[in-house]
Amino acid sequence: QDPQSPEADQFRQAAEQTPEVPFGLSSSAAVLSHYGASANTVALFRRVDDERRDLDMNNGDVDAKKLIRFVRMNELRLVTEYDPVTAIGVMQSSLQFNLLLITDKMSPKHPERMRKFRAAAELYKGKILFILLDSNLKSNERVLSYFQLKKSQLPALAMFHTPDDEHEVFAAEEISVERIQDFCNRFLQ
């Protein structure tokens, strides 16, 4: 609540170190009341699933490093890259459908695939969590195995329904917004 407090200073440091995440600091009682937040609370708002995560900074042991870790663990972007840190936020999402783009990030086609994947993600915001899975990461080999995919079958889309583990895989060299939409709509039906 005090913009000159040590907690506010840690907040500013975390904001400087993560410029891709929008941060805001307020000491207004009206703002705190509007969001139902208490003093010295960091509220993380996720547009993808309309969820909110709070971090209480009143105990004094939260520094910029811990704050950044909190943001990384709990943020979900329009397309969230899956790794050991973001896995927590992915698993805690209220969205029951996850669409994975399993691909090689080093491929020259990767930027164009991501552009199309993000465009499709806009269409399903609040319904499906879009996840990028880099096939080059050793930590992602278990996911490839779960979907029974070999690197030679990539890129692939994998839709997953979390409550019942139902899933479907679609391997396609060419990723388009239309193909993603068709795949999503078929699975949702």
mmCIF file of all heavy atoms in Angstrom, residues 20-69:
data_model
loop_
_atom_site.group_PDB
_atom_site.id
_atom_site.type_symbol
_atom_site.label_atom_id
_atom_site.label_comp_id
_atom_site.label_asym_id
_atom_site.label_seq_id
_atom_site.Cartn_x
_atom_site.Cartn_y
_atom_site.Cartn_z
ATOM 1 N N GLU A 20 8.476 -7.866 -20.414
ATOM 2 C CA GLU A 20 7.421 -8.386 -21.284
ATOM 3 C C GLU A 20 6.099 -8.584 -20.539
ATOM 4 O O GLU A 20 5.071 -8.846 -21.152
ATOM 5 C CB GLU A 20 7.867 -9.700 -21.938
ATOM 6 C CG GLU A 20 7.981 -10.879 -21.005
ATOM 7 C CD GLU A 20 9.250 -10.910 -20.145
ATOM 8 O OE1 GLU A 20 10.065 -9.975 -20.196
ATOM 9 O OE2 GLU A 20 9.418 -11.896 -19.411
ATOM 10 N N VAL A 21 6.122 -8.452 -19.209
ATOM 11 C CA VAL A 21 4.916 -8.595 -18.402
ATOM 12 C C VAL A 21 4.508 -7.211 -17.900
ATOM 13 O O VAL A 21 5.312 -6.514 -17.290
ATOM 14 C CB VAL A 21 5.164 -9.536 -17.192
ATOM 15 C CG1 VAL A 21 3.928 -9.621 -16.305
ATOM 16 C CG2 VAL A 21 5.588 -10.918 -17.660
ATOM 17 N N PRO A 22 3.254 -6.789 -18.166
ATOM 18 C CA PRO A 22 2.832 -5.474 -17.670
ATOM 19 C C PRO A 22 2.628 -5.501 -16.153
ATOM 20 O O PRO A 22 1.987 -6.403 -15.625
ATOM 21 C CB PRO A 22 1.514 -5.212 -18.393
ATOM 22 C CG PRO A 22 1.088 -6.501 -18.980
ATOM 23 C CD PRO A 22 2.257 -7.440 -18.989
ATOM 24 N N PHE A 23 3.215 -4.535 -15.475
ATOM 25 C CA PHE A 23 3.097 -4.400 -14.025
ATOM 26 C C PHE A 23 2.415 -3.080 -13.717
ATOM 27 O O PHE A 23 2.571 -2.105 -14.452
ATOM 28 C CB PHE A 23 4.489 -4.376 -13.366
ATOM 29 C CG PHE A 23 5.122 -5.725 -13.178
ATOM 30 C CD1 PHE A 23 5.685 -6.397 -14.249
ATOM 31 C CD2 PHE A 23 5.175 -6.317 -11.927
ATOM 32 C CE1 PHE A 23 6.289 -7.630 -14.084
ATOM 33 C CE2 PHE A 23 5.775 -7.548 -11.753
ATOM 34 C CZ PHE A 23 6.339 -8.216 -12.826
ATOM 35 N N GLY A 24 1.692 -3.017 -12.618
ATOM 36 C CA GLY A 24 1.099 -1.772 -12.146
ATOM 37 C C GLY A 24 1.150 -1.748 -10.635
ATOM 38 O O GLY A 24 0.996 -2.773 -9.979
ATOM 39 N N LEU A 25 1.392 -0.579 -10.077
ATOM 40 C CA LEU A 25 1.506 -0.413 -8.627
ATOM 41 C C LEU A 25 0.500 0.641 -8.203
ATOM 42 O O LEU A 25 0.432 1.714 -8.808
ATOM 43 C CB LEU A 25 2.929 0.037 -8.271
ATOM 44 C CG LEU A 25 3.269 0.254 -6.812
ATOM 45 C CD1 LEU A 25 3.205 -1.061 -6.039
ATOM 46 C CD2 LEU A 25 4.665 0.856 -6.684
ATOM 47 N N SER A 26 -0.304 0.337 -7.199
ATOM 48 C CA SER A 26 -1.294 1.302 -6.731
ATOM 49 C C SER A 26 -1.353 1.306 -5.214
ATOM 50 O O SER A 26 -1.277 0.258 -4.568
ATOM 51 C CB SER A 26 -2.674 0.961 -7.288
ATOM 52 O OG SER A 26 -3.627 1.883 -6.791
ATOM 53 N N SER A 27 -1.519 2.497 -4.658
ATOM 54 C CA SER A 27 -1.730 2.636 -3.217
ATOM 55 C C SER A 27 -3.135 3.189 -2.947
ATOM 56 O O SER A 27 -3.449 3.574 -1.826
ATOM 57 C CB SER A 27 -0.663 3.543 -2.603
ATOM 58 O OG SER A 27 -0.717 4.815 -3.209
ATOM 59 N N SER A 28 -3.967 3.214 -3.960
ATOM 60 C CA SER A 28 -5.325 3.741 -3.843
ATOM 61 C C SER A 28 -6.242 2.749 -3.132
ATOM 62 O O SER A 28 -6.365 1.586 -3.543
ATOM 63 C CB SER A 28 -5.873 4.032 -5.248
ATOM 64 O OG SER A 28 -7.269 4.193 -5.209
ATOM 65 N N ALA A 29 -6.912 3.224 -2.105
ATOM 66 C CA ALA A 29 -7.863 2.373 -1.380
ATOM 67 C C ALA A 29 -8.995 1.929 -2.303
ATOM 68 O O ALA A 29 -9.492 0.800 -2.192
ATOM 69 C CB ALA A 29 -8.413 3.119 -0.169
ATOM 70 N N ALA A 30 -9.407 2.795 -3.219
ATOM 71 C CA ALA A 30 -10.480 2.450 -4.161
ATOM 72 C C ALA A 30 -10.056 1.304 -5.078
ATOM 73 O O ALA A 30 -10.847 0.403 -5.372
ATOM 74 C CB ALA A 30 -10.869 3.677 -4.980
ATOM 75 N N VAL A 31 -8.800 1.332 -5.544
ATOM 76 C CA VAL A 31 -8.293 0.266 -6.418
ATOM 77 C C VAL A 31 -8.218 -1.046 -5.640
ATOM 78 O O VAL A 31 -8.648 -2.099 -6.127
ATOM 79 C CB VAL A 31 -6.923 0.641 -7.026
ATOM 80 C CG1 VAL A 31 -6.293 -0.538 -7.738
ATOM 81 C CG2 VAL A 31 -7.064 1.825 -7.966
ATOM 82 N N LEU A 32 -7.686 -0.994 -4.421
ATOM 83 C CA LEU A 32 -7.599 -2.205 -3.596
ATOM 84 C C LEU A 32 -8.992 -2.791 -3.365
ATOM 85 O O LEU A 32 -9.193 -3.997 -3.478
ATOM 86 C CB LEU A 32 -6.914 -1.904 -2.262
ATOM 87 C CG LEU A 32 -5.434 -1.549 -2.324
ATOM 88 C CD1 LEU A 32 -4.927 -1.090 -0.959
ATOM 89 C CD2 LEU A 32 -4.620 -2.735 -2.808
ATOM 90 N N SER A 33 -9.949 -1.933 -3.072
ATOM 91 C CA SER A 33 -11.321 -2.373 -2.827
ATOM 92 C C SER A 33 -11.934 -2.972 -4.093
ATOM 93 O O SER A 33 -12.583 -4.018 -4.042
ATOM 94 C CB SER A 33 -12.152 -1.188 -2.346
ATOM 95 O OG SER A 33 -13.496 -1.551 -2.229
ATOM 96 N N HIS A 34 -11.732 -2.297 -5.228
ATOM 97 C CA HIS A 34 -12.282 -2.783 -6.494
ATOM 98 C C HIS A 34 -11.818 -4.213 -6.797
ATOM 99 O O HIS A 34 -12.594 -5.042 -7.276
ATOM 100 C CB HIS A 34 -11.883 -1.845 -7.635
ATOM 101 C CG HIS A 34 -12.302 -2.328 -8.983
ATOM 102 N ND1 HIS A 34 -13.601 -2.232 -9.438
ATOM 103 C CD2 HIS A 34 -11.598 -2.939 -9.980
ATOM 104 C CE1 HIS A 34 -13.684 -2.755 -10.644
ATOM 105 N NE2 HIS A 34 -12.484 -3.183 -11.003
ATOM 106 N N TYR A 35 -10.547 -4.502 -6.550
ATOM 107 C CA TYR A 35 -10.004 -5.829 -6.847
ATOM 108 C C TYR A 35 -10.058 -6.777 -5.663
ATOM 109 O O TYR A 35 -9.632 -7.927 -5.764
ATOM 110 C CB TYR A 35 -8.563 -5.702 -7.363
ATOM 111 C CG TYR A 35 -8.502 -5.103 -8.746
ATOM 112 C CD1 TYR A 35 -8.011 -3.817 -8.944
ATOM 113 C CD2 TYR A 35 -8.958 -5.809 -9.842
ATOM 114 C CE1 TYR A 35 -7.973 -3.257 -10.214
ATOM 115 C CE2 TYR A 35 -8.927 -5.263 -11.113
ATOM 116 C CZ TYR A 35 -8.439 -3.988 -11.292
ATOM 117 O OH TYR A 35 -8.404 -3.439 -12.547
ATOM 118 N N GLY A 36 -10.579 -6.316 -4.536
ATOM 119 C CA GLY A 36 -10.666 -7.180 -3.356
ATOM 120 C C GLY A 36 -9.302 -7.609 -2.873
ATOM 121 O O GLY A 36 -9.124 -8.734 -2.410
ATOM 122 N N ALA A 37 -8.331 -6.713 -2.984
ATOM 123 C CA ALA A 37 -6.950 -7.023 -2.598
ATOM 124 C C ALA A 37 -6.627 -6.363 -1.265
ATOM 125 O O ALA A 37 -7.141 -5.294 -0.941
ATOM 126 C CB ALA A 37 -5.971 -6.533 -3.656
ATOM 127 N N SER A 38 -5.776 -7.007 -0.511
ATOM 128 C CA SER A 38 -5.300 -6.396 0.723
ATOM 129 C C SER A 38 -3.974 -5.705 0.451
ATOM 130 O O SER A 38 -3.366 -5.902 -0.600
ATOM 131 C CB SER A 38 -5.140 -7.465 1.812
ATOM 132 O OG SER A 38 -4.217 -8.442 1.405
ATOM 133 N N ALA A 39 -3.546 -4.901 1.397
ATOM 134 C CA ALA A 39 -2.281 -4.179 1.247
ATOM 135 C C ALA A 39 -1.139 -5.168 1.069
ATOM 136 O O ALA A 39 -1.163 -6.273 1.618
ATOM 137 C CB ALA A 39 -2.039 -3.297 2.464
ATOM 138 N N ASN A 40 -0.138 -4.769 0.302
ATOM 139 C CA ASN A 40 1.061 -5.573 0.047
ATOM 140 C C ASN A 40 0.737 -6.924 -0.576
ATOM 141 O O ASN A 40 1.332 -7.941 -0.225
ATOM 142 C CB ASN A 40 1.887 -5.755 1.329
ATOM 143 C CG ASN A 40 2.464 -4.444 1.796
ATOM 144 O OD1 ASN A 40 2.734 -3.560 1.002
ATOM 145 N ND2 ASN A 40 2.636 -4.318 3.093
ATOM 146 N N THR A 41 -0.200 -6.920 -1.491
ATOM 147 C CA THR A 41 -0.560 -8.128 -2.226
ATOM 148 C C THR A 41 -0.248 -7.916 -3.695
ATOM 149 O O THR A 41 -0.584 -6.884 -4.260
ATOM 150 C CB THR A 41 -2.061 -8.448 -2.064
ATOM 151 O OG1 THR A 41 -2.337 -8.684 -0.684
ATOM 152 C CG2 THR A 41 -2.452 -9.673 -2.875
ATOM 153 N N VAL A 42 0.383 -8.900 -4.296
ATOM 154 C CA VAL A 42 0.590 -8.884 -5.736
ATOM 155 C C VAL A 42 -0.526 -9.735 -6.335
ATOM 156 O O VAL A 42 -0.696 -10.892 -5.953
ATOM 157 C CB VAL A 42 1.980 -9.460 -6.117
ATOM 158 C CG1 VAL A 42 2.100 -9.599 -7.625
ATOM 159 C CG2 VAL A 42 3.083 -8.597 -5.550
ATOM 160 N N ALA A 43 -1.292 -9.147 -7.227
ATOM 161 C CA ALA A 43 -2.374 -9.862 -7.908
ATOM 162 C C ALA A 43 -1.963 -10.060 -9.357
ATOM 163 O O ALA A 43 -1.677 -9.099 -10.063
ATOM 164 C CB ALA A 43 -3.673 -9.078 -7.812
ATOM 165 N N LEU A 44 -1.921 -11.292 -9.780
ATOM 166 C CA LEU A 44 -1.573 -11.634 -11.157
ATOM 167 C C LEU A 44 -2.865 -11.990 -11.887
ATOM 168 O O LEU A 44 -3.565 -12.920 -11.495
ATOM 169 C CB LEU A 44 -0.606 -12.823 -11.176
ATOM 170 C CG LEU A 44 -0.203 -13.310 -12.555
ATOM 171 C CD1 LEU A 44 0.932 -12.440 -13.086
ATOM 172 C CD2 LEU A 44 0.238 -14.759 -12.499
ATOM 173 N N PHE A 45 -3.202 -11.215 -12.912
ATOM 174 C CA PHE A 45 -4.414 -11.433 -13.691
ATOM 175 C C PHE A 45 -4.043 -12.119 -15.001
ATOM 176 O O PHE A 45 -3.203 -11.629 -15.739
ATOM 177 C CB PHE A 45 -5.106 -10.095 -13.986
ATOM 178 C CG PHE A 45 -5.550 -9.374 -12.746
ATOM 179 C CD1 PHE A 45 -4.744 -8.410 -12.168
ATOM 180 C CD2 PHE A 45 -6.762 -9.675 -12.152
ATOM 181 C CE1 PHE A 45 -5.133 -7.739 -11.024
ATOM 182 C CE2 PHE A 45 -7.168 -9.004 -11.007
ATOM 183 C CZ PHE A 45 -6.354 -8.037 -10.439
ATOM 184 N N ARG A 46 -4.713 -13.251 -15.263
ATOM 185 C CA ARG A 46 -4.435 -14.005 -16.473
ATOM 186 C C ARG A 46 -5.589 -13.825 -17.441
ATOM 187 O O ARG A 46 -6.720 -14.219 -17.149
ATOM 188 C CB ARG A 46 -4.246 -15.478 -16.147
ATOM 189 C CG ARG A 46 -3.110 -15.710 -15.200
ATOM 190 C CD ARG A 46 -2.712 -17.135 -15.028
ATOM 191 N NE ARG A 46 -3.767 -18.089 -14.794
ATOM 192 C CZ ARG A 46 -3.575 -19.265 -14.224
ATOM 193 N NH1 ARG A 46 -2.358 -19.622 -13.840
ATOM 194 N NH2 ARG A 46 -4.559 -20.102 -14.045
ATOM 195 N N ARG A 47 -5.305 -13.240 -18.594
ATOM 196 C CA ARG A 47 -6.337 -13.015 -19.603
ATOM 197 C C ARG A 47 -6.762 -14.317 -20.270
ATOM 198 O O ARG A 47 -7.897 -14.441 -20.740
ATOM 199 C CB ARG A 47 -5.828 -12.043 -20.664
ATOM 200 C CG ARG A 47 -5.683 -10.639 -20.158
ATOM 201 C CD ARG A 47 -5.266 -9.648 -21.226
ATOM 202 N NE ARG A 47 -5.620 -10.029 -22.571
ATOM 203 C CZ ARG A 47 -4.785 -9.966 -23.604
ATOM 204 N NH1 ARG A 47 -3.561 -9.536 -23.448
ATOM 205 N NH2 ARG A 47 -5.172 -10.330 -24.798
ATOM 206 N N VAL A 48 -5.886 -15.273 -20.322
ATOM 207 C CA VAL A 48 -6.169 -16.506 -21.059
ATOM 208 C C VAL A 48 -7.326 -17.286 -20.449
ATOM 209 O O VAL A 48 -8.183 -17.784 -21.159
ATOM 210 C CB VAL A 48 -4.897 -17.384 -21.137
ATOM 211 C CG1 VAL A 48 -5.199 -18.755 -21.665
ATOM 212 C CG2 VAL A 48 -3.855 -16.702 -21.987
ATOM 213 N N ASP A 49 -7.357 -17.399 -19.114
ATOM 214 C CA ASP A 49 -8.421 -18.166 -18.475
ATOM 215 C C ASP A 49 -9.199 -17.343 -17.448
ATOM 216 O O ASP A 49 -9.970 -17.889 -16.664
ATOM 217 C CB ASP A 49 -7.877 -19.446 -17.842
ATOM 218 C CG ASP A 49 -6.823 -19.194 -16.768
ATOM 219 O OD1 ASP A 49 -6.515 -18.012 -16.471
ATOM 220 O OD2 ASP A 49 -6.302 -20.172 -16.214
ATOM 221 N N ASP A 50 -8.994 -16.030 -17.441
ATOM 222 C CA ASP A 50 -9.671 -15.124 -16.514
ATOM 223 C C ASP A 50 -9.500 -15.532 -15.052
ATOM 224 O O ASP A 50 -10.392 -15.349 -14.231
ATOM 225 C CB ASP A 50 -11.171 -15.003 -16.854
ATOM 226 C CG ASP A 50 -11.393 -14.299 -18.174
ATOM 227 O OD1 ASP A 50 -10.622 -13.373 -18.497
ATOM 228 O OD2 ASP A 50 -12.340 -14.686 -18.891
ATOM 229 N N GLU A 51 -8.365 -16.096 -14.738
ATOM 230 C CA GLU A 51 -8.038 -16.477 -13.374
ATOM 231 C C GLU A 51 -7.165 -15.401 -12.740
ATOM 232 O O GLU A 51 -6.568 -14.576 -13.437
ATOM 233 C CB GLU A 51 -7.294 -17.815 -13.352
ATOM 234 C CG GLU A 51 -8.114 -18.985 -13.829
ATOM 235 C CD GLU A 51 -8.826 -19.719 -12.730
ATOM 236 O OE1 GLU A 51 -8.290 -19.806 -11.613
ATOM 237 O OE2 GLU A 51 -9.923 -20.232 -13.000
ATOM 238 N N ARG A 52 -7.076 -15.443 -11.443
ATOM 239 C CA ARG A 52 -6.238 -14.505 -10.695
ATOM 240 C C ARG A 52 -5.466 -15.304 -9.644
ATOM 241 O O ARG A 52 -6.011 -16.192 -8.999
ATOM 242 C CB ARG A 52 -7.132 -13.469 -10.016
ATOM 243 C CG ARG A 52 -6.391 -12.563 -9.078
ATOM 244 C CD ARG A 52 -7.346 -11.552 -8.500
ATOM 245 N NE ARG A 52 -6.843 -11.040 -7.249
ATOM 246 C CZ ARG A 52 -7.477 -10.161 -6.519
ATOM 247 N NH1 ARG A 52 -8.644 -9.698 -6.894
ATOM 248 N NH2 ARG A 52 -6.951 -9.744 -5.399
ATOM 249 N N ARG A 53 -4.202 -14.953 -9.475
ATOM 250 C CA ARG A 53 -3.355 -15.549 -8.442
ATOM 251 C C ARG A 53 -2.801 -14.416 -7.588
ATOM 252 O O ARG A 53 -2.375 -13.395 -8.120
ATOM 253 C CB ARG A 53 -2.188 -16.332 -9.055
ATOM 254 C CG ARG A 53 -2.589 -17.487 -9.935
ATOM 255 C CD ARG A 53 -3.107 -18.653 -9.099
ATOM 256 N NE ARG A 53 -3.364 -19.818 -9.910
ATOM 257 C CZ ARG A 53 -4.560 -20.150 -10.372
ATOM 258 N NH1 ARG A 53 -5.587 -19.395 -10.127
ATOM 259 N NH2 ARG A 53 -4.732 -21.234 -11.084
ATOM 260 N N ASP A 54 -2.831 -14.587 -6.280
ATOM 261 C CA ASP A 54 -2.344 -13.559 -5.362
ATOM 262 C C ASP A 54 -1.113 -14.042 -4.608
ATOM 263 O O ASP A 54 -1.002 -15.223 -4.257
ATOM 264 C CB ASP A 54 -3.422 -13.190 -4.337
ATOM 265 C CG ASP A 54 -4.569 -12.401 -4.941
ATOM 266 O OD1 ASP A 54 -4.422 -11.904 -6.064
ATOM 267 O OD2 ASP A 54 -5.615 -12.276 -4.276
ATOM 268 N N LEU A 55 -0.225 -13.102 -4.342
ATOM 269 C CA LEU A 55 0.969 -13.353 -3.540
ATOM 270 C C LEU A 55 0.990 -12.317 -2.426
ATOM 271 O O LEU A 55 1.034 -11.119 -2.682
ATOM 272 C CB LEU A 55 2.233 -13.236 -4.390
ATOM 273 C CG LEU A 55 3.564 -13.369 -3.651
ATOM 274 C CD1 LEU A 55 3.714 -14.769 -3.054
ATOM 275 C CD2 LEU A 55 4.724 -13.053 -4.578
ATOM 276 N N ASP A 56 0.939 -12.796 -1.185
ATOM 277 C CA ASP A 56 0.970 -11.917 -0.015
ATOM 278 C C ASP A 56 2.423 -11.565 0.290
ATOM 279 O O ASP A 56 3.239 -12.442 0.523
ATOM 280 C CB ASP A 56 0.334 -12.638 1.176
ATOM 281 C CG ASP A 56 0.255 -11.789 2.432
ATOM 282 O OD1 ASP A 56 0.755 -10.645 2.429
ATOM 283 O OD2 ASP A 56 -0.321 -12.284 3.423
ATOM 284 N N MET A 57 2.719 -10.286 0.275
ATOM 285 C CA MET A 57 4.094 -9.836 0.536
ATOM 286 C C MET A 57 4.267 -9.317 1.962
ATOM 287 O O MET A 57 5.289 -8.735 2.295
ATOM 288 C CB MET A 57 4.477 -8.752 -0.470
ATOM 289 C CG MET A 57 4.549 -9.296 -1.885
ATOM 290 S SD MET A 57 5.222 -8.148 -3.073
ATOM 291 C CE MET A 57 6.924 -8.019 -2.586
ATOM 292 N N ASN A 58 3.277 -9.540 2.828
ATOM 293 C CA ASN A 58 3.326 -9.018 4.196
ATOM 294 C C ASN A 58 4.322 -9.727 5.097
ATOM 295 O O ASN A 58 4.758 -9.163 6.088
ATOM 296 C CB ASN A 58 1.933 -9.056 4.850
ATOM 297 C CG ASN A 58 1.044 -7.962 4.317
ATOM 298 O OD1 ASN A 58 1.431 -6.801 4.282
ATOM 299 N ND2 ASN A 58 -0.148 -8.335 3.876
ATOM 300 N N ASN A 59 4.696 -10.960 4.772
ATOM 301 C CA ASN A 59 5.602 -11.684 5.667
ATOM 302 C C ASN A 59 7.055 -11.233 5.544
ATOM 303 O O ASN A 59 7.905 -11.656 6.315
ATOM 304 C CB ASN A 59 5.471 -13.198 5.488
ATOM 305 C CG ASN A 59 5.814 -13.639 4.082
ATOM 306 O OD1 ASN A 59 6.371 -12.878 3.296
ATOM 307 N ND2 ASN A 59 5.463 -14.882 3.771
ATOM 308 N N GLY A 60 7.354 -10.398 4.580
ATOM 309 C CA GLY A 60 8.684 -9.795 4.487
ATOM 310 C C GLY A 60 9.763 -10.622 3.832
ATOM 311 O O GLY A 60 10.865 -10.141 3.633
ATOM 312 N N ASP A 61 9.489 -11.876 3.498
ATOM 313 C CA ASP A 61 10.556 -12.695 2.897
ATOM 314 C C ASP A 61 10.434 -12.800 1.377
ATOM 315 O O ASP A 61 11.106 -13.595 0.744
ATOM 316 C CB ASP A 61 10.613 -14.084 3.541
ATOM 317 C CG ASP A 61 9.468 -14.991 3.119
ATOM 318 O OD1 ASP A 61 8.444 -14.475 2.643
ATOM 319 O OD2 ASP A 61 9.606 -16.220 3.274
ATOM 320 N N VAL A 62 9.546 -12.014 0.772
ATOM 321 C CA VAL A 62 9.393 -12.028 -0.679
ATOM 322 C C VAL A 62 10.292 -10.952 -1.279
ATOM 323 O O VAL A 62 10.123 -9.768 -1.018
ATOM 324 C CB VAL A 62 7.927 -11.796 -1.105
ATOM 325 C CG1 VAL A 62 7.808 -11.773 -2.614
ATOM 326 C CG2 VAL A 62 7.023 -12.878 -0.520
ATOM 327 N N ASP A 63 11.262 -11.399 -2.065
ATOM 328 C CA ASP A 63 12.145 -10.452 -2.748
ATOM 329 C C ASP A 63 11.832 -10.478 -4.245
ATOM 330 O O ASP A 63 10.927 -11.202 -4.696
ATOM 331 C CB ASP A 63 13.617 -10.775 -2.467
ATOM 332 C CG ASP A 63 14.015 -12.177 -2.907
ATOM 333 O OD1 ASP A 63 13.231 -12.859 -3.603
ATOM 334 O OD2 ASP A 63 15.129 -12.594 -2.572
ATOM 335 N N ALA A 64 12.564 -9.699 -5.011
ATOM 336 C CA ALA A 64 12.313 -9.613 -6.451
ATOM 337 C C ALA A 64 12.447 -10.982 -7.115
ATOM 338 O O ALA A 64 11.648 -11.330 -7.990
ATOM 339 C CB ALA A 64 13.265 -8.607 -7.098
ATOM 340 N N LYS A 65 13.423 -11.768 -6.700
ATOM 341 C CA LYS A 65 13.640 -13.091 -7.296
ATOM 342 C C LYS A 65 12.427 -13.999 -7.060
ATOM 343 O O LYS A 65 11.962 -14.682 -7.976
ATOM 344 C CB LYS A 65 14.910 -13.711 -6.703
ATOM 345 C CG LYS A 65 15.322 -15.009 -7.331
ATOM 346 C CD LYS A 65 16.639 -15.497 -6.747
ATOM 347 C CE LYS A 65 17.033 -16.816 -7.374
ATOM 348 N NZ LYS A 65 18.295 -17.325 -6.840
ATOM 349 N N LYS A 66 11.903 -14.009 -5.837
ATOM 350 C CA LYS A 66 10.729 -14.834 -5.532
ATOM 351 C C LYS A 66 9.493 -14.323 -6.254
ATOM 352 O O LYS A 66 8.654 -15.094 -6.686
ATOM 353 C CB LYS A 66 10.488 -14.874 -4.021
ATOM 354 C CG LYS A 66 11.504 -15.698 -3.277
ATOM 355 C CD LYS A 66 11.224 -15.725 -1.796
ATOM 356 C CE LYS A 66 12.315 -16.504 -1.067
ATOM 357 N NZ LYS A 66 12.147 -16.430 0.388
ATOM 358 N N LEU A 67 9.398 -13.013 -6.396
ATOM 359 C CA LEU A 67 8.278 -12.419 -7.107
ATOM 360 C C LEU A 67 8.308 -12.807 -8.589
ATOM 361 O O LEU A 67 7.282 -13.171 -9.165
ATOM 362 C CB LEU A 67 8.287 -10.900 -6.938
ATOM 363 C CG LEU A 67 7.159 -10.118 -7.574
ATOM 364 C CD1 LEU A 67 5.797 -10.638 -7.163
ATOM 365 C CD2 LEU A 67 7.284 -8.655 -7.201
ATOM 366 N N ILE A 68 9.476 -12.767 -9.190
ATOM 367 C CA ILE A 68 9.618 -13.170 -10.598
ATOM 368 C C ILE A 68 9.258 -14.651 -10.747
ATOM 369 O O ILE A 68 8.562 -15.042 -11.689
ATOM 370 C CB ILE A 68 11.039 -12.876 -11.119
ATOM 371 C CG1 ILE A 68 11.249 -11.359 -11.217
ATOM 372 C CG2 ILE A 68 11.284 -13.549 -12.466
ATOM 373 C CD1 ILE A 68 12.686 -10.940 -11.453
ATOM 374 N N ARG A 69 9.701 -15.471 -9.816
ATOM 375 C CA ARG A 69 9.356 -16.906 -9.858
ATOM 376 C C ARG A 69 7.835 -17.094 -9.762
ATOM 377 O O ARG A 69 7.255 -17.900 -10.481
ATOM 378 C CB ARG A 69 10.073 -17.668 -8.753
ATOM 379 C CG ARG A 69 9.792 -19.155 -8.783
ATOM 380 C CD ARG A 69 10.812 -19.941 -7.966
ATOM 381 N NE ARG A 69 10.447 -21.323 -7.800
ATOM 382 C CZ ARG A 69 10.514 -22.253 -8.735
ATOM 383 N NH1 ARG A 69 10.950 -21.931 -9.932
ATOM 384 N NH2 ARG A 69 10.164 -23.494 -8.492
#
